[in-house]
Amino acid sequence: MPDSKLEDCLARAGEKPHNLSPAEVEWLLGLPSSDLPALYQAAYRVKERVSGRSVSIRGLIEMGNVCAKDCYYCGIRRSNSRVRRYQLDKSDILRLSAWAYAQGYGSLVIQAGESESEAHTRFIEDLLPEIAALSGGALGVTLSLGEQEDEVFRRWRSAGAHRYLLRIETSSPRLYQALHPADHLYERRRRCLAVLRDLGYQVGTGVMSGLPGQSRADLAADIEFFRQMDVDMIGMGPYIPHPDTPLGKDRELTPEYRSSQLELGLRMIAVTRLYLHDVNLAATTALQALADNGREQGLLAGANVIMPNLTDLEYRRDYQLYQGKPCLEESAGQCRGCLEARVVGVGESIRWGERGDSLHYQQRFSSPLD
Ligand code: 5AD
Ligand code: FES
């Protein structure tokens, strides 16, 4: 039975956003496992109020794995010479987009390793109107293409992108520096988020949980960071070691480690939902890499978005940010059926044909104080 302190805290958090002190956020993140069902249920009730018993869906296109950066945790980092690098051409992306639109997807996410060049900027700039044309402007497009100059963000916004995902990875500058080479700058990344917001994008960010050297206080600070940055969408997931990276090479994925990483990822989803209420929160693939039903568990802990992978099988193996990535053998069509069954299995339905803008974003523009 949950004790009365917990009941009181969860009830208060459910009443309105930001109704928890920093100490309570941290305390909830560290609840004993026996209290987790109560935590997840409270978060799910808030999610249900915000977006009903339904899940927004975006088709994920992993456009290329060429990356100029060298993050110590990431499987497609520049220095990993074992990766076969690829880049989809425009016709591939348009084919996947048309397929997604015909299937009832209302929204796409285009993701790739980070690269900054005029050719890359132009490629995306030319692509966006073509995706709009094939759907009569109906398909929403989210970009997830890393840090860029302000002008590049502006050009892509003008060309039709309306959301941007850029994870801060950790809100702690100290930890950020420990996880990246010296020329990867926390401040630049943070500034990009502010610029994106000013340009009118719906902005998403996120972190990894369970990173080496990360404390519970760091995770509580991550949730506070989401609030301070006033983001619309959050995509976060547990850190999963990749053997060909400096951070992951000596780390064994034991069953105990998997389940504790999964549990921490679910705690983060639930507490974030309880603290922020109206954001879009993704049940990310990393959850599923740790347990077959990891994403469904994410939905039941308060997530309301899933992003099935549309990338052709031929390339999926080459986009392994961490080990154990699921669905390496399933085509996009198979993923659709499998996903629908999974979502229905936990009592939710999929919002086919909708863009699924976050309520938080809609309210940013309807509030007279904004
Ligand atoms: N484990 C979990 N997530 C990872 N990412 C990169 N490497 C890993 C890893 N080893 C995440 C980062 C990045 C997103 C695309 O994938 O948060 O922003
Ligand atoms: Fe590609 Fe970090 S290694 S963005």
Side-chain angles (χ1 to χ4, degrees):
M1 273 302 282
D3 59 39
S4 57
K5 179 182 175 196
L6 180 59
E7 275 176 13
D8 165 68
C9 194
L10 295 177
R12 198 157 24 81
E15 279 164 21
K16 56 179 186 197
H18 319 145
N19 213 15
L20 291 168
S21 69
E24 285 171 328
V25 168
E26 195 177 327
W27 178 68
L28 287 176
L29 286 172
L31 287 177
S33 297
S34 54
D35 285 335
L36 291 178
L39 176 73
Y40 299 158
Q41 278 158 26
Y44 185 79
R45 279 196 295 276
V46 174
K47 178 260 163 191
E48 212 179 354
R49 235 172 36 229
V50 172
S51 57
R53 292 195 136 221
S54 60
V55 180
S56 290
I57 184 154
R58 293 102 184 57
L60 174 65
I61 299 178
E62 292 160 339
M63 185 179 81
N65 63 358
V66 179
C67 193
K69 294 194 130 185
D70 223 8
C71 309
Y72 297 149
Y73 46 83
C74 183
I76 64 165
R77 62 198 299 268
R78 182 183 66 215
S79 303
N80 185 2
S81 56
R82 303 182 66 167
V83 176
R84 184 183 64 143
R85 304 287 166 173
Y86 74 92
Q87 163 70 42
L88 299 188
D89 59 32
K90 207 200 252 177
S91 62
D92 286 326
I93 302 170
L94 292 173
R95 172 179 51 77
L96 291 172
S97 306
W99 181 87
Y101 182 56
Q103 291 289 311
Y105 281 88
S107 185
L108 294 177
V109 177
I110 297 181
Q111 188 172 76
E114 292 203 22
S115 130
E116 291 184 64
S117 72
E118 177 55 28
H120 179 60
T121 303
R122 181 77 59 82
F123 180 82
I124 299 296
E125 203 173 28
D126 292 344
L127 178 70
L128 289 165
E130 294 198 42
I131 294 178
L134 66 83
S135 65
L139 261 181
V141 180
T142 304
L143 298 179
S144 179
L145 300 172
E147 293 165 33
Q148 301 288 338
E149 293 298 311
D150 301 4
E151 178 60 13
V152 174
F153 288 141
R154 195 198 57 70
R155 282 169 62 184
W156 289 346
R157 176 90 183 100
S158 304
H162 66 127
R163 301 188 185 128
Y164 205 99
L165 299 175
L166 181 69
R167 289 191 182 180
I168 192 74
E169 312 297 0
T170 168
S171 67
S172 154
R174 170 196 55 82
L175 191 54
Y176 190 92
Q177 229 45 79
L179 296 170
H180 300 93
D183 63 349
H184 293 29
L185 302 178
Y186 175 85
E187 257 322 308
R188 181 180 192 223
R189 208 160 177 88
R190 185 189 160 100
R191 193 181 162 277
C192 284
L193 289 170
V195 170
L196 288 162
R197 190 177 190 282
D198 288 347
L199 287 168
Y201 282 93
Q202 290 181 56
V203 180
T205 193
V207 295
M208 286 173 284
S209 51
L211 288 161
Q214 188 180 45
S215 66
R216 193 176 300 150
D218 289 328
L219 291 170
D222 289 342
I223 295 177
E224 188 55 35
F225 176 88
F226 301 151
R227 176 193 179 178
Q228 278 167 11
M229 298 303 287
D230 198 22
V231 291
D232 306 298
M233 315 176 282
I234 294 162
M236 53 189 171
Y239 163 65
I240 305 173
H242 188 296
D244 301 325
T245 60
L247 201 67
K249 64 179 179 339
D250 300 320
R251 184 90 221 194
E252 218 194 316
L253 253 185
T254 60
E256 296 74 36
Y257 181 72
R258 272 173 189 277
S259 65
S260 73
Q261 288 298 85
L262 174 64
E263 189 184 283
L264 188 60
L266 297 171
R267 286 168 187 264
M268 280 296 281
I269 289 177
V271 179
T272 301
R273 173 63 72 201
L274 280 167
Y275 191 59
L276 298 180
H277 283 216
D278 60 1
V279 290
N280 273 346
L281 239 173
T284 53
T285 319
L287 296 172
Q288 199 189 345
L290 292 172
D292 180 56
N293 67 350
R295 276 188 308 192
E296 294 88 289
Q297 293 192 53
L299 296 177
L300 294 176
N304 68 326
V305 172
I306 32 183
M307 297 165 37
N309 197 341
L310 306 185
T311 313
D312 293 320
L313 294 186
E314 183 191 349
Y315 298 115
R316 279 198 207 184
R317 266 178 206 291
D318 302 322
Y319 204 88
Q320 287 198 71
L321 309 176
Y322 41 80
Q323 58 181 306
K325 183 179 174 184
C327 304
L328 290 178
E329 306 297 341
E330 284 81 8
S331 67
Q334 285 168 318
C335 268
R336 183 190 199 271
C338 148
L339 189 86
E340 185 118 44
R342 285 165 178 270
V343 168
V344 169
V346 293
E348 301 258 310
S349 63
I350 294 181
R351 292 172 174 253
W352 292 109
E354 289 181 30
R355 280 194 186 201
D357 288 340
S358 92
L359 201 60
H360 186 77
Y361 178 78
Q362 295 169 29
Q363 286 175 350
R364 273 214 266 140
F365 291 93
S366 58
S367 157
L369 296 174
D370 211 56

